[in-house]
Amino acid sequence: MKSINWLMCVFLCVLSIAGVACGQGVGTSGAISGTVVDPTGAVVEKATVRAVETAKGIQHSTVTDHSGQYRFSGLPPAVYSVTVEAPGFATEVQNTVVVTLGETASADFHLTVAAVSSQVEVVEVQAQPSAVDTQLSSQSNTLGQMYINELPIDRRDYLTFTLLMPGVSESSVIADSRSLREKQVPQSGLSFYGNNGRGNDITVDGGTFNGYSGFVIANVSQDAVQEFQINRSNYAASLGSASGASINIVTKSGGNKMHGALYGFFRNDALDARDPFAFNQALSPGQPFALNAQAQPVKNALSRQQFGGTIGLPIRRDKTFFFAAYEGLLQDQQASVPLMLNSNIFGPSDAQAPILGGLAAEGATPVPCRTGQPAVAASVCAGILQNILTANPSSSPLKQFIVNQFETNGGLLPFPRQSHQFSSRLDHIFNDTNQGTLRYVFAHLSQSDPAIESLTGFSQAYSELTWTNSLQGSWVHTFNANMLNEFRAQWNINQYNFMPNDPGGPTIAVTGFGSFGRNLTLPNISTERDYEFADNFTHLYGKHMFQMGVKELLRGNRTASSTFLGGDFIFGN
């Protein structure tokens, strides 16, 4: 009864704080539960159960209750060795109990009577993972190292593995055609049951990594990810803050053994075949104007190096652990933008050419050529119309401007890209009841012309520069085997710069042939600072588990943007 009263006091205190906060925190752990019985099937009460994290040697202890059940909550995802000891029974061990993020591993024990001997008898049992988590009602999947290490992936974007799960699809088309936000602002690229890609909540070690418009902030590299959980539907209130799905990423930590990896990937156009869709422009600046110029096939250049490494080590065995990861990408690439494959687009259309030819064949026959003007010879009229319907750059400054846009906005264009991702994590065990974690993330991305498409000119594309700094500290305090608390604080600063290739020119759309000039919302320079504080409390009471928490996210944003000038020109065929 005293425990219930104490619990109600804590709950009322949390409610009073929640009046100025938003939502609850997000955990980054799993659990182990099970039942201990004797050879007859009767439950064993007050048996000592120990769970030891294999890589770090961290030990957690509890005892079974009157129904022979035990539970460890708040365990980091890892492999554990679970041992049960009880008077009169042989010690039993399950060495490969795998705890995954947000799920409860089941480890039941059937003890045998100890033999009469002076030696301690230990029975080792192979752990069998449960096919279904009976304590989880949400629709979720956890993607661990088997997916991350063994499945092939383009661009080393591990979140793309989410597309292998049911109910998940690519959201780029949905966002482009239905989102009212500007195209330059990135989004997760993942649609859960038809939701927009900006409606998902992405966390790293429980800390929010969503930008002010719902997009995913650049975070850790693929080799720094321990596992991540995808909560698609019906997930708990502690995983709120999303109209779509909640994706919870947990980073790797060091262990008692030093381990690491180095890798590098290399690509070059010398090893590639020519892109069959790569052509230069039919006309180039300074080239004499002609209506029969043809684009020629070309081979686009590519030099791509992606490299990185990880290291994990103990600073103090069984106490302090360190892990760091780095991944870099240097890419110089050319891509073809086929705006003008044939210069005949600047002349009369296929339907107009026979009319002009017929007029020329009439010779000196007088014909009305222009409204309000006297009749002229048919051949003269053909020449006048030919000049009007041809965008010859020497005939007027406007036609020279239009032709020049096609000459300079297509062909082989550069697509350079550089990215760097660094993360480090320090874990320290203060004592049996307190442990802390400090994690730092730096990510940098610069790329040019990410918006280039087949009918989009170089001047309407933009360059992107984004970088992120994130620092997170967390503290887990265990009051007893049935009660623990997690506190977490995180600071993020994010920079997003989108600069147009044509900062001062007008927007021009030539219907059916291409669009040039600056974008509607560019340039756009934004700086965002986030301060996040969260506290989660878990209490086991009999067969019941109570969880409560509070999270405060303070966000500041400074944005610089500008207006635009636009126009629409239609000519030719």
Side-chain angles (χ1 to χ4, degrees):
M1 188 66 183
K2 292 182 179 180
S3 297
I4 296 178
N5 293 334
W6 181 89
L7 182 63
M8 289 302 297
C9 291
V10 173
F11 181 70
L12 292 175
C13 291
V14 171
L15 287 181
S16 64
I17 298 174
V20 294
C22 54
Q24 296 181 358
V26 179
T28 60
S29 59
I32 299 177
S33 69
T35 304
V36 180
V37 298
D38 63 15
T40 66
V43 299
V44 179
E45 186 178 354
K46 295 184 179 181
T48 301
V49 186
R50 293 190 302 273
V52 180
E53 189 175 344
T54 305
K56 298 180 181 178
I58 302 174
Q59 180 174 297
H60 308 266
S61 299
T62 188
V63 294
T64 57
D65 58 16
H66 64 278
S67 59
Q69 296 182 341
Y70 72 93
R71 181 182 179 91
F72 294 103
S73 297
L75 299 178
V79 178
Y80 288 82
S81 174
V82 182
T83 304
V84 174
E85 295 177 342
F89 296 96
T91 300
E92 188 166 310
V93 181
Q94 293 190 24
N95 283 324
T96 55
V97 179
V98 179
V99 174
T100 55
L101 179 62
E103 299 182 3
T104 301
S106 178
D108 296 329
F109 289 84
H110 297 268
L111 302 183
T112 59
V113 177
V116 179
S117 173
S118 59
Q119 296 181 345
V120 178
E121 183 178 356
V122 178
V123 178
E124 185 174 330
V125 180
Q126 183 67 34
Q128 297 293 332
S130 176
V132 178
D133 187 351
T134 58
Q135 302 186 32
L136 191 65
S137 61
S138 62
Q139 297 182 12
S140 65
N141 296 92
T142 299
L143 300 179
Q145 290 297 299
M146 183 184 70
Y147 285 89
I148 297 173
N149 294 335
E150 298 182 10
L151 290 180
I153 186 69
D154 183 28
R155 297 173 288 113
R156 294 178 58 82
D157 180 10
Y158 56 89
L159 284 181
T160 308
F161 288 131
T162 307
L163 296 172
L164 299 174
M165 301 299 109
V168 188
S169 60
E170 174 64 47
S171 69
S172 297
V173 176
I174 297 176
D176 289 344
S177 60
R178 302 181 187 178
S179 177
L180 298 179
R181 295 181 176 89
E182 59 269 24
K183 183 179 180 180
Q184 293 80 20
V185 177
Q187 43 101 9
S188 67
L190 302 172
S191 172
F192 293 81
Y193 300 121
N195 282 300
N196 189 287
R198 304 186 195 279
N200 305 318
D201 183 39
I202 311 295
T203 63
V204 178
D205 295 323
T208 299
F209 266 76
N210 295 310
Y212 59 90
S213 61
F215 63 91
V216 183
I217 297 173
N219 47 69
V220 296
S221 64
Q222 176 174 312
D223 288 271
V225 177
Q226 171 72 22
E227 58 187 45
F228 62 99
Q229 184 188 40
I230 306 158
N231 297 277
R232 301 190 304 274
S233 179
N234 299 334
Y235 42 83
S238 59
L239 299 172
S241 305
S243 60
S246 174
I247 301 178
N248 199 0
I249 303 167
V250 172
T251 59
K252 292 180 179 178
S253 62
N256 280 327
K257 295 182 179 180
M258 178 182 290
H259 59 88
L262 291 173
Y263 60 88
F265 303 96
F266 168 77
R267 283 188 60 190
N268 191 276
D269 58 88
L271 305 176
D272 295 340
R274 188 191 75 84
D275 182 357
F277 300 100
F279 290 86
N280 62 7
Q281 291 289 76
L283 294 176
S284 301
Q287 177 182 343
F289 179 77
L291 289 177
N292 59 354
Q294 297 282 338
Q296 299 300 317
V298 292
K299 185 175 182 180
N300 43 325
L302 171 64
S303 176
R304 176 187 173 95
Q305 295 86 37
Q306 193 166 21
F307 49 89
T310 63
I311 184 170
L313 51 87
I315 296 179
R316 183 180 177 188
R317 187 176 179 84
D318 294 339
K319 277 287 187 180
T320 309
F321 313 95
F322 177 77
F323 183 87
Y326 167 77
E327 180 172 318
L329 171 65
L330 303 176
Q331 176 177 293
D332 291 317
Q333 179 184 13
Q334 287 181 323
S336 175
V337 180
L339 277 179
M340 182 173 53
L341 299 181
N342 194 320
S343 63
N344 63 11
I345 64 171
F346 298 118
S349 66
D350 294 339
Q352 295 166 343
I355 299 175
L356 297 178
L359 286 173
E362 294 292 331
T365 304
V367 295
C369 190
R370 303 177 65 183
T371 303
Q373 299 292 327
V376 297
S379 58
V380 174
C381 181
I384 294 173
L385 295 178
Q386 177 76 26
N387 183 59
I388 293 175
L389 296 174
T390 300
N392 192 324
S394 61
S395 61
S396 72
L398 177 60
K399 292 182 179 180
Q400 181 182 12
F401 176 79
I402 296 296
V403 173
N404 180 258
Q405 293 300 305
F406 277 89
E407 291 175 339
T408 59
N409 276 275
L412 280 181
L413 299 174
F415 285 73
R417 175 171 180 166
Q418 292 187 12
S419 69
H420 304 276
Q421 291 176 299
F422 172 79
S423 62
S424 61
R425 174 169 169 164
L426 183 68
D427 295 87
H428 180 69
I429 310 302
F430 296 96
N431 49 48
D432 292 341
T433 59
N434 293 280
Q435 63 184 63
T437 299
L438 187 65
R439 188 217 63 210
Y440 172 72
V441 174
F442 172 77
H444 175 278
L445 169 66
S446 63
Q447 60 179 339
S448 296
D449 311 324
I452 286 289
E453 298 172 353
S454 59
L455 295 180
T456 302
F458 176 78
S459 60
Q460 198 168 59
Y462 59 90
S463 61
E464 175 184 353
L465 171 64
T466 64
W467 57 265
T468 299
N469 271 299
S470 175
L471 182 65
Q472 183 194 85
S474 64
W475 169 47
V476 177
H477 176 71
T478 304
F479 296 96
N480 52 53
N482 297 321
M483 193 182 306
L484 64 90
N485 187 81
E486 176 196 10
F487 174 77
R488 181 177 61 254
Q490 178 173 281
W491 169 80
N492 290 344
I493 180 170
N494 313 301
Q495 182 74 39
Y496 318 101
N497 297 347
F498 302 99
M499 302 300 296
N501 291 341
D502 184 8
T507 294
I508 302 172
V510 183
T511 303
F513 294 100
S515 55
F516 320 104
R518 62 183 302 179
N519 281 269
L520 172 65
T521 59
L522 299 185
N524 188 295
I525 301 174
S526 299
T527 303
E528 178 183 339
R529 291 177 176 85
D530 300 337
Y531 304 89
E532 181 179 355
F533 305 92
D535 190 85
N536 302 319
F537 176 78
T538 302
H539 179 55
L540 301 178
Y541 186 78
K543 295 184 178 181
H544 307 287
M545 182 175 67
F546 299 90
Q547 288 183 318
M548 59 192 70
V550 61
K551 182 176 79 171
E552 178 74 18
L553 179 60
L554 305 175
R555 175 166 289 170
N557 179 54
R558 185 178 71 239
T559 302
S561 188
S562 64
T563 57
F564 80 107
L565 174 66
D568 191 10
F569 296 85
I570 303 175
F571 66 93
N573 55 358

